[in-house]
Amino acid sequence: MEKQERIILVTNDDGITAPGIRALIEAVRPLGKVVVVAPDSPQSGMGHAITIGVPLRLNQVNIFEDIEAWQCSGTPVDCVKLARDKILHRKPDICVSGINHGANHSINVIYSGTMSAAMEAAIEGIPSAGFSFLEYSYDADFSLPAKVAREVTERMLASDLPAGSLFNVNIPVVEEKDFRGLRLCRQADAKWVEEFDERRDPHGKKYYWLTGEFKNRDVGEDTDVWALENNYASMVPVQFDLTNYKLKKQLEESWKDL
């Protein structure tokens, strides 16, 4: 029996015209049949949102040479759901999401549309990875992130990974000569200390603009934050099981009457 061609689903949260997704497509193009399903507009910070109550639109577009591509009116998670059910009609061999403009390390994984798209694929049992570049400029040079994405995707395709394996990969802004390679990490204990800047519009009505500062409370040298600060790309295996097993075990001892 002829071996079925590997299918690589590519998605993102910055929108189908973002430079990062083009870099990701070119990085993984040689590794299998690439199919793109991505939002028709930026969806950053959407987390695991899905569209309910309004119709979803899905249109085929011809913007990547020799690549089947579809734009969706919904969220990154909607894109993965529709890709699985209406376009591929089977599970892809792998799903890669990104390359995101900006960091998704540490606590950012909770809010990230990039990672939520990959997580949705992982929920379906598809090995998946989200890629983020710590550069926010629209015209950023994605050469290094593309090489990292290619290496990670190759490794994933060549490995016998458990169903639902999911990786959060972040790439630092660094000259290639100073780049120290890929490093397996854990998620740092860090968070945003947020404030809302109160302003007034020309009519005198109040509005608020979210601001904040990222604070790392973790001194470990095995974290994603440490790796990125030291010119490594961080690769964190993550999961969608949010059970706190340590606390559960503790309460089984102290709350024996339950």
Side-chain angles (χ1 to χ4, degrees):
M1 182 183 294
E2 187 176 343
K3 191 174 181 180
Q4 201 171 32
E5 184 178 19
R6 292 187 300 200
I7 293 181
I8 301 171
L9 175 62
V10 177
T11 188
N12 75 345
D13 76 348
D14 287 322
I16 198 165
T17 61
I21 197 171
R22 183 175 292 275
L24 182 55
I25 290 166
E26 293 306 315
V28 302
R29 183 195 285 264
L31 305 179
K33 179 184 177 182
V34 174
V35 178
V36 180
V37 185
D40 60 10
S41 60
Q43 299 284 327
S44 294
M46 290 298 291
H48 215 90
I50 57 174
T51 300
I52 298 174
V54 296
L56 283 169
R57 308 291 181 184
L58 191 62
N59 298 302
Q60 192 163 8
V61 292
N62 184 24
I63 57 178
F64 308 111
E65 185 179 354
D66 300 323
I67 296 291
E68 181 182 352
W70 299 77
Q71 65 180 18
C72 171
S73 62
T75 69
V77 172
D78 291 328
C79 291
V80 174
K81 287 178 176 291
L82 281 169
R84 168 74 176 83
D85 188 50
K86 297 301 180 186
I87 296 172
L88 301 177
H89 304 292
R90 76 168 179 89
K91 291 181 181 180
D93 294 87
I94 193 171
C95 175
V96 289
S97 180
I99 299 168
N100 188 66
H101 292 255
N104 277 317
H105 60 345
S106 184
I107 196 65
N108 296 312
V109 70
I110 299 294
Y111 307 101
S112 167
T114 300
M115 280 305 298
S116 287
M119 186 175 291
E120 180 63 27
I123 290 170
E124 291 293 324
I126 303 159
S128 304
F131 299 95
S132 302
F133 185 29
L134 274 65
E135 169 65 83
Y136 291 86
S137 173
Y138 187 82
D139 58 355
D141 180 1
F142 280 89
S143 301
L144 177 60
K147 289 179 180 178
V148 172
R150 171 71 176 268
E151 178 185 351
V152 170
T153 305
E154 284 182 326
R155 285 178 178 271
M156 291 177 68
L157 287 169
S159 302
D160 185 21
L161 294 170
S165 296
L166 174 62
F167 299 97
N168 182 20
V169 182
N170 283 265
I171 302 99
V173 181
V174 62
E175 296 288 335
E176 280 201 49
K177 62 181 177 62
D178 299 319
F179 179 58
R180 300 175 70 181
L182 192 63
R183 188 178 178 99
L184 278 170
C185 305
R186 65 175 173 85
Q187 179 180 314
D189 178 13
K191 70 182 294 290
W192 286 95
V193 179
E194 297 171 337
E195 295 180 357
F196 284 90
D197 187 13
E198 184 178 304
R199 305 179 186 180
R200 292 187 180 271
D201 67 18
H203 302 285
K205 294 183 177 180
K206 291 181 183 178
Y207 70 96
Y208 300 91
W209 197 264
L210 178 62
T211 64
E213 184 179 0
F214 187 73
K215 295 284 190 180
N216 181 23
R217 301 173 295 193
D218 201 319
V219 297
E221 295 186 2
D222 58 343
T223 72
D224 50 5
V225 173
W226 185 93
L228 292 160
E229 289 176 345
N230 287 273
N231 293 349
Y232 291 97
S234 63
M235 183 175 181
V236 179
V238 296
Q239 63 184 19
F240 42 84
D241 179 356
L242 301 181
T243 306
N244 185 330
Y245 289 99
K246 184 177 179 180
L247 179 58
K248 177 176 177 289
K249 186 175 181 179
Q250 176 184 325
L251 294 179
E252 284 170 347
E253 293 296 321
S254 61
W255 293 4
K256 290 183 178 178
D257 56 322
L258 284 182

